[in-house]
Structures are given as structure tokens and as C-alpha cells.
Amino acid sequence: MSTTELPASHAELMDGVYRWQRHIYDLTRKYYLLGRDRLIDGLDVPQGGTVLELGSGTGRNIALAARRYPDARFFGLDISAEMLETANAAIAREGLSGKVKLARGDATDFDAKALFDVEQFDRVFVSYSLSMIPGWEKTVSAALAALAPGGSLHVVDFGQQEGLPRWFRTMLRGWLRKFHVSPRASLRDVLESESQRTGATFRFRTLYRGYAWLGMIGSSK
């Protein structure tokens, strides 16, 4: 899907939500987007490998991963032009422009070859984006289709807060709705189903009493 074919309603919605929020996003989200650094530490990128982030946002995660794995090449896409402006500035500020390439695209339907001149990736990760993407299940399928043999998909997102007090869950859900975020109750089921469909390995962890879920699908070589 080309930039001109992006679903206008969702792209415009995300630009509207983050036009101003992007300037304080990293400062505020570090207190409740839990598990992101654990995901990055678990990527275990092979030397000289390629990594794709779907929903790269402000560039915080991809910059951290690029520093963590200096021999790899990194690519990221986001549907929001506003977020990409912030992310590109952050990547340049970190001196990572030579190893990180960002593009505007729809995580549910993208052409990696057209965007990055790369068809397959050793690692694909999605951090707190599936809960914001309409038709998010398509993102999981698209991510798996972009994996190189032996590659892996890593996902972290809001869980169902099953081990936390009901009042906390109600408060959190109300707050998230202000930003068009909806924790995906079927996330584990979809990841497990996709792993079975593709004959891949599957790992899933519940973090912080269900506050966050962390999943990994590893493709066969």
C-alpha cells in the first residue's frame, strides 16, 4: 500500500491525537507503557540482521534497539506523519540516521520492498500499537509474512489487568479511551492461532499481574 493509499480516516485521527501529544509522549508514557525494554532486550538480533518496527511512533523504541544492537539495520513505519516528524528528528539527534530508516505506511497492509527495498526481516516487533490499530489482526499476519526464515515476531501491549483491582482496570480503560486505545482481549488467542497456522513456535508471558502481555512467534528456518 502506497502513502497515497493510506486509510485517510485513521491516519488523520492519529495525526490529530498526536499533533501535540508527540512532544510529551515519551516523558509521560514511560510510566505506563511497561515491558517495552524487556521486549527490546529479548530481540536477540543476529549480527548484521534486519529489524522492522510496526508503529514506530516517536522513534523511542527503534533508537533504543539500534543502540542495543549496533551491527543491525533498522526500519520503522507509522501511519502518522506527525509522529514520523518527531521520530526522524529523534533519530537524527541520536546520530542514527545511517542505520535507521523510517517511512509512512499502514501496519495492516504494507509493501516492505517498496518502502525500504528490503523484503524480509530477521526480527519484527510491535510495541503498544496493536491496541490502536483497527483490524489489528491483519498487522500480525503482515508481520509474519515479512519475516525471514528463522526470524521472529515480538509483541508487547496492554493485557487485561486480570490480576489487578477492578477499580484500577476501570480507571485505566477510561484513560486509554481518550487516546483511542483499546486493549485486545483476544491478543493471546490470535498470536497462538497464527503460530499454529504457520507452524511457528510460540511464547507468551503475562507481566505485572496482567497489566501487559508479551508474546513471541518464531518462524522455522
Short mmCIF file of all heavy atoms in Angstrom, two decimals, residues 14 48 65 86 99 112 115 125 128-129 152 161 166 184-185 188 193-194 199 201 209:
data_model
loop_
_atom_site.label_atom_id
_atom_site.label_comp_id
_atom_site.label_asym_id
_atom_site.label_seq_id
_atom_site.Cartn_x
_atom_site.Cartn_y
_atom_site.Cartn_z
N MET A 14 -4.96 9.68 13.91
CA MET A 14 -3.69 9.57 14.63
C MET A 14 -2.91 10.89 14.59
O MET A 14 -2.29 11.29 15.57
CB MET A 14 -2.84 8.44 14.06
CG MET A 14 -3.40 7.05 14.33
SD MET A 14 -3.51 6.62 16.09
CE MET A 14 -5.24 7.03 16.46
N GLY A 48 24.47 -8.28 11.97
CA GLY A 48 24.17 -7.87 10.61
C GLY A 48 22.71 -8.07 10.23
O GLY A 48 22.36 -7.97 9.06
N ALA A 65 16.68 0.22 20.43
CA ALA A 65 17.08 -1.06 19.86
C ALA A 65 18.33 -0.91 18.99
O ALA A 65 19.21 -1.78 18.99
CB ALA A 65 15.93 -1.65 19.04
N THR A 86 8.49 13.69 14.42
CA THR A 86 9.19 13.62 15.71
C THR A 86 10.23 12.52 15.71
O THR A 86 11.36 12.70 16.18
CB THR A 86 8.18 13.38 16.84
OG1 THR A 86 7.32 14.51 16.95
CG2 THR A 86 8.87 13.15 18.17
N LYS A 99 21.67 4.18 10.08
CA LYS A 99 21.29 2.79 10.30
C LYS A 99 19.81 2.59 10.58
O LYS A 99 19.36 1.47 10.74
CB LYS A 99 22.11 2.18 11.43
CG LYS A 99 21.90 2.81 12.80
CD LYS A 99 22.75 2.11 13.84
CE LYS A 99 22.44 0.63 13.91
NZ LYS A 99 23.20 -0.08 14.93
N ALA A 112 7.05 -3.81 2.09
CA ALA A 112 8.37 -3.52 2.63
C ALA A 112 9.40 -3.27 1.53
O ALA A 112 10.29 -2.43 1.69
CB ALA A 112 8.83 -4.67 3.53
N LEU A 115 8.87 0.29 0.36
CA LEU A 115 9.20 1.28 1.39
C LEU A 115 10.68 1.32 1.73
O LEU A 115 11.25 2.40 1.93
CB LEU A 115 8.39 1.00 2.66
CG LEU A 115 6.88 1.21 2.61
CD1 LEU A 115 6.23 0.69 3.88
CD2 LEU A 115 6.55 2.68 2.40
N PHE A 125 8.97 -6.21 15.39
CA PHE A 125 8.36 -6.00 16.70
C PHE A 125 7.29 -4.92 16.66
O PHE A 125 7.32 -4.02 15.83
CB PHE A 125 9.42 -5.73 17.78
CG PHE A 125 10.12 -4.41 17.74
CD1 PHE A 125 9.68 -3.35 18.52
CD2 PHE A 125 11.25 -4.22 16.95
CE1 PHE A 125 10.35 -2.13 18.52
CE2 PHE A 125 11.93 -3.01 16.95
CZ PHE A 125 11.47 -1.96 17.73
N TYR A 128 2.97 -1.70 21.86
CA TYR A 128 1.83 -0.86 22.23
C TYR A 128 1.19 -0.17 21.02
O TYR A 128 0.79 0.99 21.11
CB TYR A 128 2.23 0.16 23.30
CG TYR A 128 2.37 -0.47 24.66
CD1 TYR A 128 3.60 -0.91 25.13
CD2 TYR A 128 1.26 -0.65 25.48
CE1 TYR A 128 3.73 -1.51 26.38
CE2 TYR A 128 1.37 -1.25 26.73
CZ TYR A 128 2.61 -1.67 27.17
OH TYR A 128 2.72 -2.28 28.41
N SER A 129 1.13 -0.88 19.92
CA SER A 129 0.48 -0.34 18.72
C SER A 129 -0.76 -1.13 18.32
O SER A 129 -1.71 -0.56 17.78
CB SER A 129 1.47 -0.31 17.54
OG SER A 129 2.50 0.62 17.77
N SER A 152 11.68 -13.84 13.91
CA SER A 152 10.69 -13.87 14.98
C SER A 152 9.96 -12.55 15.09
O SER A 152 10.51 -11.48 14.81
CB SER A 152 11.35 -14.21 16.33
OG SER A 152 12.42 -13.34 16.62
N GLN A 161 -5.28 -6.80 32.62
CA GLN A 161 -5.16 -6.41 34.02
C GLN A 161 -5.89 -7.40 34.93
O GLN A 161 -6.49 -7.03 35.94
CB GLN A 161 -5.70 -4.98 34.26
CG GLN A 161 -4.99 -3.90 33.46
CD GLN A 161 -5.51 -3.78 32.04
OE1 GLN A 161 -6.72 -3.69 31.84
NE2 GLN A 161 -4.63 -3.76 31.05
N ARG A 166 -10.26 -4.22 40.25
CA ARG A 166 -11.22 -3.81 39.23
C ARG A 166 -11.23 -2.29 39.05
O ARG A 166 -11.36 -1.79 37.94
CB ARG A 166 -12.62 -4.31 39.58
CG ARG A 166 -13.68 -3.93 38.55
CD ARG A 166 -15.02 -4.54 38.89
NE ARG A 166 -14.97 -6.00 38.81
CZ ARG A 166 -16.02 -6.78 39.04
NH1 ARG A 166 -17.19 -6.25 39.38
NH2 ARG A 166 -15.91 -8.09 38.93
N ARG A 184 -6.49 -5.46 23.62
CA ARG A 184 -7.07 -6.52 22.81
C ARG A 184 -7.19 -7.81 23.63
O ARG A 184 -6.20 -8.50 23.89
CB ARG A 184 -6.19 -6.77 21.58
CG ARG A 184 -5.89 -5.53 20.75
CD ARG A 184 -7.16 -4.78 20.35
NE ARG A 184 -6.87 -3.70 19.39
CZ ARG A 184 -7.76 -2.83 18.96
NH1 ARG A 184 -9.01 -2.91 19.41
NH2 ARG A 184 -7.43 -1.88 18.10
N ALA A 185 -8.42 -8.12 24.02
CA ALA A 185 -8.67 -9.29 24.86
C ALA A 185 -8.26 -10.59 24.16
O ALA A 185 -7.89 -11.57 24.81
CB ALA A 185 -10.14 -9.35 25.26
N ARG A 188 -3.70 -12.92 22.85
CA ARG A 188 -3.01 -14.21 23.00
C ARG A 188 -3.57 -15.24 22.03
O ARG A 188 -2.81 -15.99 21.39
CB ARG A 188 -3.13 -14.71 24.43
CG ARG A 188 -2.48 -16.08 24.61
CD ARG A 188 -2.42 -16.54 26.04
NE ARG A 188 -1.64 -17.78 26.13
CZ ARG A 188 -1.05 -18.21 27.23
NH1 ARG A 188 -1.13 -17.49 28.34
NH2 ARG A 188 -0.37 -19.33 27.24
N SER A 193 -2.95 -18.72 17.48
CA SER A 193 -3.55 -19.26 16.27
C SER A 193 -2.65 -19.05 15.06
O SER A 193 -2.48 -19.95 14.22
CB SER A 193 -4.92 -18.59 16.03
OG SER A 193 -5.49 -19.01 14.81
N GLU A 194 -2.05 -17.87 14.96
CA GLU A 194 -1.16 -17.58 13.84
C GLU A 194 0.10 -18.44 13.90
O GLU A 194 0.62 -18.86 12.87
CB GLU A 194 -0.80 -16.10 13.83
CG GLU A 194 -1.89 -15.20 13.31
CD GLU A 194 -2.17 -15.44 11.84
OE1 GLU A 194 -1.31 -15.09 11.01
OE2 GLU A 194 -3.24 -16.00 11.52
N GLY A 199 3.06 -22.92 11.61
CA GLY A 199 4.00 -23.92 12.11
C GLY A 199 5.15 -23.33 12.88
O GLY A 199 6.26 -23.90 12.91
N THR A 201 6.97 -21.49 16.47
CA THR A 201 6.98 -21.61 17.92
C THR A 201 6.25 -20.41 18.53
O THR A 201 6.14 -19.35 17.90
CB THR A 201 8.41 -21.67 18.46
OG1 THR A 201 9.12 -20.47 18.06
CG2 THR A 201 9.16 -22.88 17.90
N ARG A 209 1.11 -8.65 36.77
CA ARG A 209 -0.24 -9.09 37.14
C ARG A 209 -1.27 -8.82 36.04
O ARG A 209 -2.41 -8.50 36.29
CB ARG A 209 -0.65 -8.43 38.46
CG ARG A 209 0.24 -8.80 39.64
CD ARG A 209 -0.05 -7.97 40.86
NE ARG A 209 -1.42 -8.18 41.35
CZ ARG A 209 -1.96 -7.45 42.32
NH1 ARG A 209 -1.28 -6.46 42.87
NH2 ARG A 209 -3.19 -7.70 42.72
#
